Amino acid sequence: MVTAHTLPLPYDGLPGGTGISRLRVYDWPAADGLSGGTPHLHLTCSEAYAVTGGRGAVQTLTAAGFSRTPLEPGSLVWFTPGTIHRLVNEGGLTIVVLMQNCGLPEAGDAVMTLPPSCLADPERYRKAVALPAGAGDEELAAAARRRRDLAMEGYAELRAATEAGDPEPLAAFHRAAGELVRALAPGWHERWRQGAAAASAATGAQLDRLAAGDTSYLADARVRAERPVPGGRFGMCGRLDVYDLEGPPTG
């Protein structure tokens, strides 16, 4: 029998313990003549793009090979952990980004495709990807563009090797990425426990109560509304309007 004291706490985060942000993809040209963001992967999170404006593409690189998926308003594209992805902006590309685990991809679960010499040295990697604290927009943009260009160097090598049938450089990148973030995994596990796992447990409890004819939990219904944090921070792929869903409700 389900009793009140055995029930999970109500979950009022975004559905499924997801995270969301609005993205305006960089229009900076890269060495290959295409404009866009920084290639990178996530180790524990899937990510989805719902395109709201403009046009472009997402390039993806996995052990199965390279792919290019066109993006236009209405497109919905998602990919699983381990997918190296690079957004290409062909004109005003804007996206709503949906992320697993309460937005963990924007809170640590991301490794950029820097050259192997940077990946092998954690301190060198962190310095290469960090943006200067307290800097103005111009300085931040320059730093974000430098790390994008550095990641493009490693990405080009990984793509060339994979397309040539050599799987080892990509496998080596996977190993290096894992080492860079391995110490963070316990904290990520707690984020998952309080997010997606809590959301799933709450649904299970509701189904149990519904099957028992108990709808009293519906009296706990609530509404929450949020506005993005102002500023449009410099992300890996573009300017991000993020939502502070861990803070107190604003509406």
Side-chain angles (χ1 to χ4, degrees), residues 81-139:
T83 303
I84 296 174
H85 47 288
R86 175 206 183 190
L87 279 170
V88 175
N89 186 354
E90 297 172 356
L93 185 59
T94 56
I95 294 171
V96 172
V97 183
L98 303 172
M99 298 161 281
Q100 266 191 309
N101 300 318
C102 304
L104 183 57
E106 288 293 343
D109 182 10
V111 175
M112 302 180 201
T113 57
L114 271 55
S117 59
C118 293
L119 296 170
D121 183 340
E123 185 61 26
R124 183 178 176 187
Y125 175 85
R126 292 185 183 95
K127 286 182 178 179
V129 302
L131 299 181
D137 270 12
E138 187 173 339
E139 187 178 354

Side-chain angles (χ1 to χ4, degrees), residues 6-251:
T6 63
L7 290 173
L9 292 174
Y11 183 79
D12 63 357
L14 280 176
T18 55
I20 188 169
S21 62
R22 299 189 303 183
L23 175 67
R24 290 160 286 159
V25 180
Y26 294 133
D27 58 3
W28 306 324
D32 62 358
L34 301 177
S35 300
T38 307
H40 62 282
L41 61 64
H42 310 299
L43 289 92
T44 66
C45 297
S46 291
E47 186 171 86
Y49 297 149
V51 181
T52 57
R55 57 191 295 268
V58 57
Q59 296 182 348
T60 53
L61 184 65
T62 69
F66 171 82
S67 183
R68 177 188 180 276
T69 303
L71 299 176
E72 60 184 19
S75 296
L76 179 62
V77 179
W78 66 95
F79 40 85
T80 59
T83 303
I84 296 174
H85 47 288
R86 175 206 183 190
L87 279 170
V88 175
N89 186 354
E90 297 172 356
L93 185 59
T94 56
I95 294 171
V96 172
V97 183
L98 303 172
M99 298 161 281
Q100 266 191 309
N101 300 318
C102 304
L104 183 57
E106 288 293 343
D109 182 10
V111 175
M112 302 180 201
T113 57
L114 271 55
S117 59
C118 293
L119 296 170
D121 183 340
E123 185 61 26
R124 183 178 176 187
Y125 175 85
R126 292 185 183 95
K127 286 182 178 179
V129 302
L131 299 181
D137 270 12
E138 187 173 339
E139 187 178 354
L140 287 169
R145 188 166 182 171
R146 281 194 301 271
R147 73 179 184 184
R148 190 281 309 268
D149 292 342
L150 186 60
M152 281 298 301
E153 293 180 20
Y155 174 71
E157 295 175 2
L158 291 172
R159 177 179 171 181
T162 302
E163 292 185 316
D166 180 3
E168 177 52 29
L170 183 58
F173 173 71
H174 290 165
R175 292 192 295 269
E179 282 303 307
L180 282 171
V181 302
R182 183 157 59 105
L184 303 176
W188 295 357
H189 190 279
E190 182 62 18
R191 191 184 187 102
W192 162 81
R193 190 187 66 79
Q194 294 183 12
S200 180
T203 299
Q206 290 160 0
L207 290 170
D208 288 342
R209 294 175 72 172
L210 186 59
D214 176 8
T215 58
S216 62
Y217 64 90
L218 297 176
D220 295 328
R222 65 197 73 184
V223 177
R224 180 170 175 177
E226 296 289 342
R227 296 288 301 169
V229 177
R233 81 183 195 202
F234 287 86
M236 289 173 285
C237 297
R239 295 297 296 267
L240 282 169
D241 297 323
V242 300
Y243 294 82
D244 181 16
L245 300 182
E246 295 181 13
T250 59

